[in-house]
Amino acid sequence: REATEQAILNANYMATRLEGSFNILFRGSQGRCAHEFILDLRPFKASCGISETDVAKRLQDYGFHAPTMSWPVAGTLMVEPTESESKAELDRFCDAMIMIREEIRAVEEGRMDKEDNPFKHAPHTAAIVTADEWTRGYSREAGAYPASWVQGSKFWPTTSRVDDVFGDRNLVCTCPPLSAYLDEDEPKANVA
């Protein structure tokens, strides 16, 4: 029971911290949520082209694996803090999301380009950030080290964006052809 109570407390604490920056969906009649809450990111796609995928990828630059994306509502993130997360970790995630909201605002207000911004290029890998050439419209630091806590303990993603869900929906076999598996010494069956 204590674990359940702590998970509910954590979710409501975080939802309260984030409600000034994001719309929170499906709260109860007293403004509370259960052990999870849903951040509505759909208005940002309409206002400046930033999607839930962009935010999920950008969270990696802040050192977080993204919460559940687009379930149960498309265009959202479902945040489900566990009972074991410390308040410091809850605050760090909330701080990251609030900083991300300010980055979205910069795109909305035209202070960042709608296509050439940290969201559209996230996550930023070590290879990209340390390359000799940097042609993006924001600094390397803004891309790779958006928060002070990342500088001391950066988790580097191994790849940047590849093709999002294309690879999930369009399987490509990179295996050798079946004939490569035939033993040359074995007789081949006659196929008529």
Side-chain angles (χ1 to χ4, degrees), residues 31-105:
R32 302 280 183 239
C33 60
H35 67 285
E36 62 196 21
F37 61 97
I38 298 173
L39 298 172
D40 189 1
L41 305 179
R42 295 172 295 183
F44 307 130
K45 186 155 191 174
S47 68
C48 65
I50 301 294
S51 70
E52 71 281 5
T53 300
D54 297 326
V55 173
K57 302 285 187 185
R58 185 65 172 144
L59 270 168
Q60 290 182 50
D61 292 326
Y62 283 85
F64 291 98
H65 184 281
T68 302
M69 190 171 68
S70 291
W71 192 89
V73 179
T76 65
L77 291 180
M78 181 174 65
V79 181
E80 189 172 7
T82 66
E83 66 282 352
S84 62
E85 297 293 344
S86 68
K87 182 174 178 297
E89 188 67 4
L90 301 178
D91 283 332
R92 194 168 70 89
F93 181 85
C94 289
D95 291 344
M97 289 303 298
I98 292 166
M99 293 168 80
I100 284 172
R101 176 60 183 106
E102 290 309 309
E103 290 177 334
I104 293 170
R105 191 178 325 281

Side-chain angles (χ1 to χ4, degrees), residues 3-4 23-24 28 59 72 98 114 116 127 140 155 169:
T4 301
N23 293 329
I24 312 291
L59 270 168
I98 292 166
K114 285 190 175 187
D116 185 17
R140 294 173 198 249
F155 171 82
R169 295 181 180 158

